[in-house]
Every structure is written in C-alpha cells, then in structure tokens.
C-alpha cells in the first residue's frame, strides 16, 4: 500500500468505509496516523474491524480500538514514538475535530448538503479525499508520472486505454481513482512508473494538490447538477484539475463543447499555451483495426489517449499496438455476442442521453433498447443518431415518456422489461444489424446499478439460445 511519513502522529477522520475508505484507513494506520472512522452502515464498520492484519508492516488489527470515542488522546499519548497508528469508530459529526489534519470524505458524500462540510470547516479542518492523500504521499514515492483523466463521458474507457497502452509499452503502471482498486491500497510503483487515475468531479472537489504530469478533459455535459450551483459550478470543478498543474505539464482538452473549449482557452491564457493540446470533434480516423473502439466518441477517446501517451514519451509503434489490442471495458460498447448475423452490444454505462448519443452513430442499423430512471425529459442529444435506429424498445420508469418522445421519428415498442426488449429486438433484427442496450438513463428502478443491468442484458442474450 501507499504510505507517507508525513502522516505519522497526525489525526485524520474518515467518513465512508467502502473500498476506498477502508484502504485509506489502512494506509493512514500503516503510516502511524491516528484515525477516527465512521460509516452509517454497520456492516461496513464490522468488515473493517474484522479485516486481516496489515502484512509486512508490523501493524495488526489487535491495535484497533473498536469502542466509540470522540477523542483519541487517551488511546495514544505519544504516537510519534510508535510504528503503528491507532483507530477508533465514532461519528465525526459528534467529534471535536479541532487539530485534525484532514477530514477524509467519500466522493459519494454530497458536500453541498451533508453537515460534515460545515462541521469540518468550523474546526478549520480541510475536506479531502483519498486522491489528495495520494498527492501528499507522492514526494516520498519512487520517481513517477501521474496521468489524470476527467470528463462527463468516456473517462473510464480513456483511462483504461491509456493504462493499456502504457502496459503494452512495457512501462510499470497502476490504474486507480474512480476505476479499479483504491490507489492507496496498491503497492507503489518502481522508478519510471505511471499512475493513471480516472477522476470524477466529486474526487476533484476533494483534491487540492494533485499536480498531474498529464491532465485530460474529454468533455463536459450537464450531469450531477444536484451537487453544484448550476452547470457553471460543475464545469468549474473539472477546471480545477488544470489549476493544480505546474507550468510545463501537459493539458489535453477536448473542445467539442463550449464549456471544455472555454477551459482550454483559460489554461492557454494563463501562460500555458504551449502545454495545451486540443482534441477537436469530428476528426476522421481509421478505426477498423480497433475492434473495441468503434464510433465517433471512441475516436475522440483514442485521440486523447494518443496525445497523453505521446506526452509521456511513448513511441507510436507501442501506441498503435495498444489501440489494436485494447479489450474494452464491460458495459461500455461491449460486444456481447453475434447471433444469426446480429451483433448484441452492452452499453449499460450510458446513463444519460449525451453518453448514449455517440453509440447511436457507431453502427449503421440499430435496434435500440433504452429507459430506466430518466435524468432529463429530453432525448434531443441523441437526435443525430436517430437515422441509424431501425426500431426502439423502451423499458422501465421512463419507458412511456421516451416512447412518446421517439414516436414519429422511428418505430417504437414499449417493452417494459429488459428481458422482453431483448426478445423483441432479437425477433425483429436482421443479419448485419445491431441490438444496442444504451439506456440514456440510470438503472435504479429495476436494477441495483448499471453493472447489474448490463449483466442482465448478457443473460437475456445468452437465454436466446
């Protein structure tokens, strides 16, 4: 795991004990910090308390105090003299946080509504996340580079693609942030390694000192607006990734939307014009050799990945090989099967119309399955791809709304459930056509999350026989 001597003897509170929160607690304890941890989910607290010892660092969970407390002084009078930190469960809202080095918050905690934000600020304690702790630890890690990728759509694919190309080039690398394993829970890279981090706006909000050697912004479209003061606040969160960069570090920015183009201009005007690489929309590329990177959106993702890897000094031969061998990601334009000449594609991760829109341009004739919990009452963002849709099949809570929006532009069936939609689409589709699950909606009306929805699509396709 990644640790830092700078945390020894300091106090931190950690709110949220899912994977990244649990990894944060372990990294802080292994560094000799005192940790006050909390999750309203009792099962999450129990799982952390029963975790196995931290191997190779002399810190076992026998040193953990599971009893609630709002102070840690009695637990460790002189922590700087110890090789291990100390731990207690307690709700930080009921604790006096004065003197704490940081309030580490899960990205899922809405800072604009949760009382932890004013509580920490009143105590003069910075609100941070695990990415900020990683940034603080960088000075003691072997020499390395960091690539940070953000954007409303496409960031997981682009992050995984950059990581894959770096691996293909034979360079040590780690994948983390909003994808893969928690970054603090991974082993440090050797000299010359590259950390590749997918960064949501929520994670950027909790990060203050991450100076990415290469920072990538793919696009900005309306999303997560319940967490910000309008679209401008959301865009400003993305822009902070570049504000944290030093001059001379690469800034790669898609300019296909006005907000991203404005950020590109702002970075250039800040005296960093030579740092900025702009990724323009509509660039024609031969994607025939990249089976997992089809459609205009993946052309843009590939261009951003190419620019990022070139900024790292990776030669074009390795980049080309990486593009050709990239396997893609589950639930993101994932090719499930071909049956009777019909291709079935799982794009369950497309949870808003803007992320569905490019998928509709990836294939010439599409049977489109969409619906769920709508984030908007409009599908206008998808209109450029309507001409590719042979028939639409609506499901879930948004099914009637979306059917009404699409009637007149294409044939529509209100299927209701995903299973029914798959069966109907398979019955109508002809060889050479594609059945595409790209819902343009959240999944929570019928499924636990988008992964469960994608898995259900796969199962429904396999059940066709």
């Amino acid at each position: 795991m990644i640790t830092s001597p700078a945390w020894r003897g300091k106090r931190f509170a950690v709110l949220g004990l899912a994977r990244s929160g649990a990894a944060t607690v372990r990294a802080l304890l292994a560094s000799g910090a005192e940790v006050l941890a909390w999750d309203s989910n009792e099962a999450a607290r129990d799982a952390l308390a029963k975790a196995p010892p931290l191997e190779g660092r002399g810190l076992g969970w026998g040193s953990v105090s599971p009893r609630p407390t709002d102070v840690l002084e009695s637990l460790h009078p002189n922590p700087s003299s110890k090789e291990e930190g100390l731990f207690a469960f307690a709700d930080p809202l009921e604790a006096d946080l004065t003197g704490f080095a940081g309030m580490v918050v899960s990205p899922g905690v809405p800072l604009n509504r949760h009382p932890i934000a004013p509580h920490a600020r009143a105590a003069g304690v910075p609100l941070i996340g695990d990415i900020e702790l990683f940034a603080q630890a960088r000075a003691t890690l072997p020499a390395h580079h960091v690539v940070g990728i953000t954007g409303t759509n496409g960031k997981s694919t682009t992050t995984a693609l950059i990581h894959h190309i770096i691996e293909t080039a034979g360079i040590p690398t780690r994948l983390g942030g909003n994808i893969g394993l928690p970054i603090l829970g991974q082993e440090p890279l050797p000299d010359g390694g590259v950390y590749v981090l997918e960064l949501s706006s929520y994670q950027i909000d909790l990060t203050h000192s991450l100076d990415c050697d290469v920072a990538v912004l793919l696009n900005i479209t309306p999303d997560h607006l319940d967490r910000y003061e309008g679209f401008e606040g959301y865009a400003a969160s993305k822009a902070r990734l570049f504000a944290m960069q030093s001059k001379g570090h690469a800034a790669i920015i898609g300019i296909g939307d006005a907000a991203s183009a404005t950020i590109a201009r702002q970075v250039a005007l800040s005296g960093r014009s030579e740092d900025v690489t702009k990724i323009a929309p509509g660039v024609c590329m031969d994607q025939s050799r990249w089976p997992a990177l089809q459609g205009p959106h993946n052309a843009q993702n590939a261009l951003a990945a190419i620019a990022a890897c070139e900024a790292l000094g990776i030669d074009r031969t390795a980049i080309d090989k990486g593009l050709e061998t990239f396997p893609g990601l589950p639930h993101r334009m994932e090719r499930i099967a071909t049956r009777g000449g019909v291709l079935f594609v799982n794009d369950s991760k497309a949870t808003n119309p803007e992320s569905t829109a490019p998928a509709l341009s990836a294939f010439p004739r599409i049977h489109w399955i969409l619906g769920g919990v709508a984030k908007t009452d409009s599908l206008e963002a998808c209109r450029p791809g309507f001409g590719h849709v042979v028939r639409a099949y609506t499901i879930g809570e948004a099914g009637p709304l979306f059917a009404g929006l699409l009637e007149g532009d294409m044939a529509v069936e209100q299927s209701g459930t995903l299973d029914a939609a798959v069966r109907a689409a398979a019955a109508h589709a002809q060889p050479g056509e594609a059945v595409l699950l790209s819902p343009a909606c959240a999944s929570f009306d019928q499924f636990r999350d988008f992964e469960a929805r994608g898995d259900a699509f796969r199962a429904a396709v396999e059940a066709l026989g």
Side-chain angles (χ1 to χ4, degrees):
M1 72 182 65
I2 291 174
T3 61
S4 172
W7 302 332
R8 183 177 303 281
K10 293 184 178 179
R11 295 178 178 176
F12 293 86
V14 179
L15 179 61
L17 301 177
R19 290 198 308 169
S20 64
T24 297
V25 170
R26 291 165 67 86
L28 289 170
L29 288 174
S31 300
E34 294 183 344
V35 182
L36 192 70
W38 188 250
D39 195 301
S40 59
N41 185 337
E42 185 177 358
R45 301 197 302 272
D46 288 345
L48 181 60
K50 295 174 183 176
L54 297 173
E55 296 177 359
R57 296 186 181 273
L59 175 60
W61 289 99
S63 63
V64 172
S65 170
R67 65 183 185 275
T69 180
D70 59 3
V71 292
L72 291 164
E73 291 177 359
S74 62
L75 298 180
H76 210 312
N78 187 18
S80 62
S81 67
K82 299 289 185 178
E83 293 299 320
E84 56 190 50
L86 283 165
F87 174 91
F89 284 120
D91 187 342
L93 285 172
E94 300 175 1
D96 180 3
L97 299 180
T98 303
F100 277 60
M103 177 69 244
V104 186
V105 181
S106 163
V109 174
L111 297 182
N112 61 334
R113 301 191 302 274
H114 199 284
I116 193 61
H119 182 62
R121 292 179 183 127
V125 178
L127 288 158
I128 62 175
D130 66 324
I131 301 300
E132 172 59 24
L133 289 174
F134 168 74
Q136 294 175 11
R138 290 184 65 189
T140 58
L141 297 177
H144 62 274
H145 291 95
V146 171
V147 181
I149 302 95
T150 195
T152 306
N153 299 308
K155 57 184 177 291
S156 292
T157 294
T158 305
T159 301
L161 177 57
I162 291 170
H163 178 257
H164 177 75
I165 293 172
I166 295 169
E167 278 191 323
T168 301
I171 300 170
T173 182
R174 295 272 187 268
L175 184 70
N178 203 42
I179 190 173
L181 298 173
I183 194 62
L184 293 180
Q186 300 189 53
E187 289 303 309
L189 288 167
D191 277 347
V194 181
Y195 296 91
V196 185
L197 306 178
E198 177 188 330
L199 300 171
S200 69
S201 58
Y202 303 161
Q203 289 169 310
I204 295 172
D205 292 340
L206 294 165
T207 305
H208 309 292
S209 63
L210 181 67
D211 185 357
C212 293
D213 300 275
V214 182
V216 180
L217 170 62
L218 297 168
N219 49 62
I220 306 176
T221 58
D223 203 6
H224 307 306
L225 299 188
D226 59 324
R227 294 276 293 260
Y228 297 96
E229 293 185 7
F231 179 70
E232 294 76 12
Y234 174 55
S237 175
K238 300 292 191 186
R240 291 191 59 253
L241 184 63
F242 302 96
M244 290 185 282
Q245 278 190 297
S246 298
K247 185 175 182 180
H249 287 180
I252 299 163
I253 304 174
I255 55 172
D257 60 86
S260 298
T262 296
I263 291 173
R265 288 193 297 272
Q266 291 171 342
V267 175
L269 291 172
S270 69
R272 298 182 56 205
S273 59
E274 294 182 359
D275 299 344
V276 179
T277 298
K278 298 177 182 178
I279 305 297
V283 176
C284 294
M285 301 183 70
D286 177 11
Q287 295 167 255
S288 61
R289 294 176 293 116
W290 312 337
L293 295 166
Q294 298 302 295
H297 62 311
N298 275 324
Q300 299 302 301
N301 294 339
L303 282 170
I306 291 167
C309 291
E310 288 179 340
L312 293 170
I314 298 174
D315 66 72
R316 192 54 191 258
T317 299
I319 292 173
D320 287 342
K321 184 178 179 183
L323 291 165
E324 292 170 8
T325 59
F326 179 59
L329 290 175
H331 314 296
R332 297 163 178 86
M333 295 294 287
E334 179 187 14
R335 294 177 174 228
I336 295 295
T338 300
R339 296 184 181 276
V342 176
L343 175 65
F344 291 82
V345 180
N346 169 22
D347 194 35
S348 183
K349 182 63 169 66
T351 59
N352 57 57
E354 288 77 13
S355 55
T356 287
L360 297 181
S361 298
F363 307 100
R365 292 180 61 81
I366 294 170
H367 292 261
W368 178 23
I369 301 173
L370 74 158
V373 180
K375 294 183 177 181
T376 173
D377 60 0
S378 172
L379 289 172
E380 283 303 302
C382 298
R383 183 167 292 279
F386 282 2
H388 294 216
V389 180
V390 178
R391 185 181 294 265
Y393 310 80
T394 66
I395 64 174
E397 181 182 296
L401 169 65
F402 282 3
L405 293 174
L406 295 176
E407 287 172 353
D409 289 298
M410 63 191 69
V412 184
E413 295 186 20
Q414 293 192 47
S415 299
T417 67
L418 182 55
D419 281 347
V422 169
R423 290 195 300 270
H428 283 105
Q430 300 297 311
E433 296 178 343
V435 174
L436 171 69
L437 170 66
S438 192
C441 277
S443 59
F444 305 122
D445 56 339
Q446 295 179 324
F447 301 97
R448 181 186 69 252
D449 51 31
F450 74 85
E451 287 109 335
R453 179 170 59 190
D455 291 342
F457 177 72
R458 178 188 291 276
V461 172
E462 291 174 348
L464 293 172

